[in-house]
Amino acid sequence: MAAKEHMASNVLWRGIIEEYRQFLPVAGETPVVTLQEGNTPLIKAVNLKKKGLDLELYFKFDGANPTGSFKDRGMTLALSKAVEAGSKAVICASTGNTSAAAAAYAAKAGIKAIVLIPQGKIALGKLAQALIHGSYVLQIEGNFDEALTIVKLLVEKYKITLVNSINPFRLEGQKTAAFEVCDQLGFAPKYHALPVGNAGNITAYWRGYKEYHANGNISSLPVMLGFQAAGAAPIVKGHPIERPETIATAIRIGNPASWKAAVAARDESGGRIEAVTDSEILNAYSLIASTEGIFCEPASATSLAGVIKLYKEGYLKSGASVVCTLTGHGLKDPDTVFRVTNEPAKVQADITAVERILEGILG
Ligand code: F0G
């Protein structure tokens, strides 16, 4: 019976707009453009504890969304409102995931998507998504910040809807991830850790937690922890970074649009925004996959890299409840896998040769 109920509730999940309608700026006549995003798993870490990370740690795996990242939560609302307003095209600058989501939701809505991406600096899977969904892909000979500046100027001149996170509906949709965490846990965690790029998501989560608190759904608020890559850490450094660099291309951003709001989330919650190195990010990326069975993209692992750092520093105490959002799926960026793994063994098509290797593996 329980199993059947569980299955039925999954089948009936209608996407974040219908599930959280009372908290969102939609009216009865708003056309809902959805791929049934949201309802992503909150997975308890079990093996990391055995490895010495003594926390009540959960991963909110938003890589399990339809296009493989948290952007779907914002894009369902941004596209629904764009269609409601009669828009025939949407545009964005992107490090990859926003463009993948914009392309998919525009396809569903039956309107055009134009995406500007930094040439050579987006993960292969994300580029593939933008192309297969039929968006117009423009590779800019520059970085994300430059692409965003161009896009902001273009929407002043042309009748196109901007769907970067400066579109207010994006963050409204994204705040539903905080609602889900509370619904899944039954309470708000003590800490919530996130990667920070353009700084929209940490802003959205903090808003979501505050709204759930004001509505009486939770009795406490989490401390917000944001992590930037060391080579792209403008908020930590206190000034824009002209040439941001990191292996975590999704957060290769030097001048975040929601800078002030992210700092407000940090300060109001009594939290921290810190930097982690690329090697700390890659270490966390491998660790999540090899110990907990979750394959996330490098930028997503920034949240765990930061948590490990703050645990080692003694800031996070044993037994504290921590949720790390894993923002995107690992399959988006297959190339990075080969930086942290060994080449597969080659072996003759001969059982004896295979057995020799097998015996080595089994010990
Ligand atoms: N993680 C992933 C996988 C991302 O794609 C992004 C942002 C972030 C974290 C950071 O979130 O910008 O709200 O602070 N990606 C954007 C994009 C910039 O274009 O796809 P943020």
Side-chain angles (χ1 to χ4, degrees):
M1 186 63 195
K4 198 172 162 217
E5 269 169 18
H6 180 68
M7 209 176 94
S9 75
N10 275 343
V11 169
L12 292 177
W13 179 267
R14 296 158 299 167
I16 61 108
I17 293 181
E18 295 302 354
E19 298 297 331
Y20 294 109
R21 186 173 265 276
Q22 68 171 117
F23 295 96
L24 297 172
V26 283
E29 61 274 14
T30 308
V32 177
V33 180
T34 181
L35 294 168
Q36 284 152 262
E37 59 295 309
N39 197 24
T40 57
L42 184 73
I43 305 165
K44 188 163 188 184
V46 288
N47 297 320
L48 284 170
K49 201 171 205 160
K50 292 176 203 148
K51 293 206 161 222
L53 188 66
D54 187 21
L55 297 168
E56 285 299 300
L57 183 63
Y58 297 84
F59 294 112
K60 178 63 173 163
F61 188 35
D62 250 7
N65 271 301
T67 80
S69 90
F70 71 100
K71 305 286 180 181
D72 295 357
R73 298 178 180 278
M75 215 50 85
T76 179
L77 197 60
L79 261 292
S80 297
K81 298 301 281 189
V83 172
E84 185 178 23
S87 183
K88 296 280 178 276
V90 295
I91 191 166
C92 66
S94 181
T95 57
N97 281 323
T98 299
S99 54
Y105 283 82
K108 182 82 192 246
I111 67 173
K112 287 182 177 147
I114 302 124
V115 307
L116 275 68
I117 54 170
Q119 186 177 11
K121 294 290 182 183
I122 88 164
L124 192 63
K126 301 174 189 180
L127 180 58
Q129 289 178 287
L131 293 171
I132 197 71
H133 290 303
S135 70
Y136 297 85
V137 180
L138 308 179
Q139 306 194 68
I140 299 295
E141 293 170 358
N143 62 32
F144 169 84
D145 303 287
E146 291 167 298
L148 185 58
T149 303
I150 294 169
V151 163
K152 281 201 276 191
L153 292 171
L154 287 175
V155 294
E156 284 175 16
K157 203 165 163 196
Y158 297 91
K159 264 196 78 184
I160 327 174
T161 304
L162 178 77
V163 292
N164 279 105
S165 56
I166 40 185
N167 175 326
F169 301 120
R170 280 278 314 278
L171 298 192
E172 281 295 298
Q174 283 173 216
K175 76 184 180 190
T176 60
F179 299 163
E180 285 181 23
V181 168
C182 300
D183 292 346
Q184 289 167 317
L185 272 181
F187 52 88
K190 178 106 175 42
Y191 298 94
H192 195 117
L194 290 155
V196 173
N198 214 21
N201 212 27
I202 192 168
T203 305
Y205 266 90
W206 181 235
R207 187 188 297 172
Y209 280 122
K210 283 195 297 188
E211 286 183 16
Y212 241 30
H213 189 248
N215 197 53
N217 298 63
I218 48 174
S219 57
S220 64
L221 288 166
V223 170
M224 301 303 293
L225 305 174
F227 300 100
Q228 300 195 294
I235 300 177
V236 179
K237 297 248 165 79
H239 57 80
I241 307 294
E242 207 175 317
R243 285 192 188 76
E245 268 317 333
T246 170
I247 177 104
T249 53
I251 52 170
R252 187 175 168 271
I253 294 175
N255 193 9
S258 298
W259 187 321
K260 283 198 185 124
V263 168
R266 177 194 70 190
D267 295 345
E268 286 171 30
S269 73
R272 292 170 67 164
I273 297 181
E274 304 270 331
V276 285
T277 64
D278 277 6
S279 78
E280 288 171 319
I281 293 171
L282 287 179
N283 178 50
Y285 165 72
S286 308
L287 200 60
I288 300 166
S290 61
T291 62
E292 299 294 342
I294 309 168
F295 186 22
C296 68
E297 65 169 288
S300 304
T302 305
S303 58
L304 179 66
V307 164
I308 292 173
K309 183 180 159 169
L310 294 186
Y311 181 77
K312 282 187 185 158
E313 282 177 11
Y315 171 84
L316 292 174
K317 303 274 186 287
S318 282
S321 62
V322 182
V323 172
C324 279
T325 299
L326 301 179
T327 45
H329 203 290
L331 287 170
K332 284 184 173 264
D333 186 1
D335 296 319
T336 303
V337 171
F338 303 101
R339 288 179 178 248
V340 296
T341 54
N342 298 320
E343 218 182 296
K346 287 198 185 80
V347 56
Q348 288 168 332
D350 167 63
I351 185 150
T352 325
V354 174
E355 276 185 304
R356 214 174 299 131
I357 294 180
L358 190 67
E359 277 161 20
I361 295 169
L362 299 176

